[in-house]
Amino acid sequence: MIDFTRKLLELARATRDWAGAIADAGTERRERVARYADQIVGTLARAIAAFECLEKEPGDKTAARIAIKELARLTGYVESLVAVLEGRIDGRRVHALKRRLEGLACEGLIVQSIRRADTTRIERLSAAEGYFRALADELRA
């Protein structure tokens, strides 16, 4: 079973790679994608903070609840992002994104990743945050 944070990082890289295809979309659509990317960045930042607490104190129930809530929230944001992208990027790419999204929706992966909060998972979340931040910035440039 692949770790949730690894799946999220792969999804972030794929989404960031499509910035060029999204860039030729209308201004309104680009801004919508950029707003979703901003929401994802904020969600990832809160998840990272919770993971950092869990790395120091694995039994911190409040941090665990925050991490679960934030990682679960990502699925909704990514689903909304996919809806905005449909018709703007190649259908195979959208299908691949949906497949990756389905892999993220597994609650067991989220809980397992939280139980094993460590530097590697924090770095993956940070990298994913960077990819989504870059996407938002590029679409607004």
Side-chain angles (χ1 to χ4, degrees):
M1 187 179 282
I2 294 178
D3 186 76
F4 179 90
T5 58
R6 180 175 290 168
K7 286 181 173 259
L8 178 62
L9 180 56
E10 291 169 2
L11 183 138
R13 285 178 180 152
T15 305
R16 172 61 187 82
D17 289 345
W18 302 337
I22 301 166
D24 65 356
T27 304
E28 183 179 324
R29 190 173 295 231
R30 274 195 326 269
E31 181 55 33
R32 284 180 63 199
V33 171
R35 280 195 313 265
Y36 283 123
D38 286 338
Q39 293 297 323
I40 291 169
V41 166
T43 300
L44 284 168
R46 291 184 296 274
I48 290 165
F51 266 67
E52 288 171 339
C53 288
L54 288 167
E55 183 182 31
K56 292 174 187 162
E57 184 60 49
D60 187 334
K61 291 182 182 191
T62 301
R65 278 194 299 274
I66 291 169
I68 289 170
K69 178 180 74 172
E70 296 303 334
L71 294 179
R73 180 180 287 166
L74 285 173
T75 304
Y77 285 138
V78 175
E79 284 176 356
S80 298
L81 188 64
V82 169
V84 173
L85 294 176
E86 283 188 306
R88 300 309 302 164
I89 59 174
D90 182 295
R92 291 172 300 183
R93 289 180 175 179
V94 172
H95 180 70
L97 183 59
K98 286 181 178 180
R99 200 174 54 244
R100 286 183 174 133
L101 180 58
E102 288 169 0
L104 287 179
C106 176
E107 186 177 331
L109 281 179
I110 293 173
V111 172
Q112 181 185 38
S113 293
I114 290 167
R115 286 187 184 143
R116 298 182 344 190
D118 62 8
T119 302
T120 300
R121 284 168 185 78
I122 293 168
E123 287 173 358
R124 286 182 194 146
L125 291 173
S126 295
E129 179 186 9
Y131 280 111
F132 281 109
R133 187 176 303 280
L135 175 62
D137 292 346
E138 186 170 332
L139 293 175
R140 289 188 174 117

